[in-house]
Each structure stands twice: as structure tokens, then as C-alpha cells.
Amino acid sequence: AQTVTQSQPEMSVQEAETVTLSCTYDTSENNYYLFWYKQPPSRQMILVIRQEAYKQQNATENRFSVNFQKAAKSFSLKISDSQLGDTAMYFCAFMGPGANSKLTFGKGITLSVRP
Amino acid sequence: DGGITQSPKYLFRKEGQNVTLSCEQNLNHDAMYWYRQDPGQGLRLIYYSQIVNDFQKGDIAEGYSVSREKKESFPLTVTSAQKNPTAFYLCASSRAPGHLPNTEAFFGQGTRLTVV
């Protein structure tokens, strides 16, 4: 079974600085999908970034980028130029390739951006 | 606009009662999911469905039931057998795994269930 581990429950960063959120996962699959979701105080889940395992290039979306290390089964999220609106819970998620694959989430990390 | 809708936003249940949470999507997604969110627990999968008239248990299915009679709808029933049902419930949908790209899940706004 796939598992997703986010070992840091909370982090804090100064506005305009850079922060990295860690995520590791366990799977025997070769092709799969990884995601980072943001959950602000409104509790609406928002996709931040996604990565397909067959792609070697790290995904980037504006200020958000990932460091995908397939051999190490690591998928960290880097937020550059942190903004107050980045304050939220961040969840790492995994989906396998099979027809009956499920979407598995880590426990999440609470990120606070300080003014 | 395409999206996924959960209702109601807040729900109160007396102990011993069954209650059904609604989830509807018009994204033409094959897969649908129900998650429970508790503080410090992240999102835990209750049930998921990849196709109409078929669904699988997730990690915490005990005390819950679902149906998938239509592609657009995936209602969740919280039964009296669920010992601690007070939580925030999230429904999601996605293209079926294996459809590259754009396999990410889209979420509803959630239902807060409280047992009184």
C-alpha cells in the first residue's frame, strides 16, 4: 500500500523569504502522480502543483516548484518570495497508475507566513 | 461553470441517526472520493469509486456507506454505527488514473458534521 509522510507538522517563514516543505512516499509503482494541495482557512482545497513520475524535469508554477527525487521517493515543495496569502495547510498526495488507484494524502503541514 | 458541489455546508445529527451528505459533480469525471478530515490527521479516505455502480472501501470505511448510481453523484451516508462522526467531510472527483495528464482531484467546499 502506498503511504505519504509529512514529518513536519508546522513551519513558519518570514514574508518574502523562501521555505521548503518536505514529503516522502512509499510505493512499488514506477509510474504515478504526485501533488501538493493548499488548504487556506476557508478549507477549500486548491491544487498547487503536480508532478508525473515519468517526467524527470521538476514541475514549476510561478513561485512554487518541486524537488522530485524518484529514487529517494521524496517530493518537496519550495515556495519562493513567500506571501501572507500563502498561510495555509499544505498536503502532499500520491496517486498510482492503476484503474483502481486511490488518492492518498499525508497529514499535512501548517505554514505560517509572518509579516 | 464546471465544478463539484457538496451540501449541506453544516449538518447536525442526533446520536443514533443516519445522515446523508450530498456530492455532485459536472466535470464528467469517472473517479469520486470521500475523505474525512480531523485535526492532526490529514485527509483519510473513506470510500472511492472509479466507475458507476462500483466503489471500494478506503482506510476508514467502518460506519459509512456510499452509492454510485450516476456518474455525477456520490452520496455518503454516515450511519449510527460510526462511533465518532463529528468531523469535516470532503468530496473530490478526478479523471480516472491512467489518463495523462490532468489527473488531479477537484474538491467540494466540504460539509461540517456535528453530532448533538
Side-chain angles (χ1 to χ4, degrees), chain B residues 5-7 19-25 32-34 46-47 49 55 64-78 91:
Chain B
T5 302
Q6 287 185 244
S7 63
V19 64
T20 298
L21 283 60
S22 172
C23 179
E24 303 276 337
Q25 55 96 2
M32 297 189 74
Y33 312 84
W34 273 106
I46 304 172
Y47 270 98
S49 168
F55 48 82
Y64 301 96
S65 66
V66 294
S67 63
R68 187 86 187 275
E69 297 177 0
K70 298 187 300 182
K71 187 176 185 178
E72 301 80 15
S73 179
F74 192 42
L76 173 74
T77 296
V78 185
C91 179

Side-chain angles (χ1 to χ4, degrees), chain A residues 20-33:
Chain A
T20 298
L21 311 182
S22 301
C23 174
T24 58
Y25 57 94
D26 187 26
T27 184
S28 58
E29 302 284 355
N30 187 46
N31 293 318
Y32 46 86
Y33 313 89

Side-chain angles (χ1 to χ4, degrees), chain A residues 33 35 37 39 42-47 50 52 54-55 89 91 95-108, chain B residues 33 35 37 40-43 45 48 50 54 56 59 88 90 94 97-109 112:
Chain A
Y33 313 89
F35 310 92
Y37 281 87
Q39 188 182 44
S42 68
R43 307 197 81 167
Q44 177 67 54
M45 294 286 284
I46 302 165
L47 177 70
R50 63 171 174 265
E52 286 89 7
Y54 71 90
K55 292 184 177 179
M89 283 202 73
F91 293 95
M95 180 185 286
N100 285 326
S101 292
K102 57 185 180 180
L103 181 60
T104 301
F105 284 83
K107 290 190 174 183
Chain B
Y33 312 84
Y35 293 91
Q37 186 176 18
Q41 296 290 330
L43 273 68
L45 183 63
Y48 63 110
Q50 305 290 9
D54 189 34
Q56 289 78 42
D59 301 315
F88 186 66
L90 280 162
S94 73
H99 288 249
L100 297 175
N102 302 327
T103 312
E104 70 267 21
F106 293 80
F107 283 81
Q109 292 187 312
R112 174 68 185 177

